[in-house]
Amino acid sequence: MSKEYYKKRIIDLRAAIAKEREAKKKDNAYYAALIKRTAIPTHKVGYRKTKIDRAASHDRRIESLKRDIEKAKASLKRMK
């Protein structure tokens, strides 16, 4: 692989992290609205659990992307 490939990969991964953070914000707002609107206690509990699970999923994805950036940086260093 070339240096340009790794540089582009890092840029793409950073964009993916930004996109994932936006998706996390959107999901959190969506589930917060659901929790606020519902009057049934069992539904509120379910929505809260789902909200936490979705946020954790986004966090795992962000951490994975960060690890990929570090790998790409290491590969770029080896190229030099």
Side-chain angles (χ1 to χ4, degrees), residues 7-24:
K7 288 178 182 179
K8 184 178 181 323
R9 177 101 172 114
I10 291 169
I11 291 168
D12 291 344
L13 289 169
R14 286 183 179 150
I17 287 175
K19 192 173 182 180
E20 192 68 28
R21 285 185 176 141
E22 288 301 314
K24 181 181 176 182

Side-chain angles (χ1 to χ4, degrees), residues 3 6 14 17 19 24-25 31 34-35 38-39 42-44 48-49 54 56-57 61 65 67 69 76 79:
K3 290 180 187 179
Y6 289 114
R14 286 183 179 150
I17 287 175
K19 192 173 182 180
K24 181 181 176 182
K25 286 179 189 177
Y31 285 108
L34 284 177
I35 291 166
T38 190
T42 56
H43 287 182
K44 282 188 185 221
R48 284 188 183 111
K49 184 180 181 312
R54 291 296 299 254
S57 173
R61 176 81 174 124
L65 291 168
R67 283 192 302 274
I69 287 175
L76 184 61
M79 296 291 291

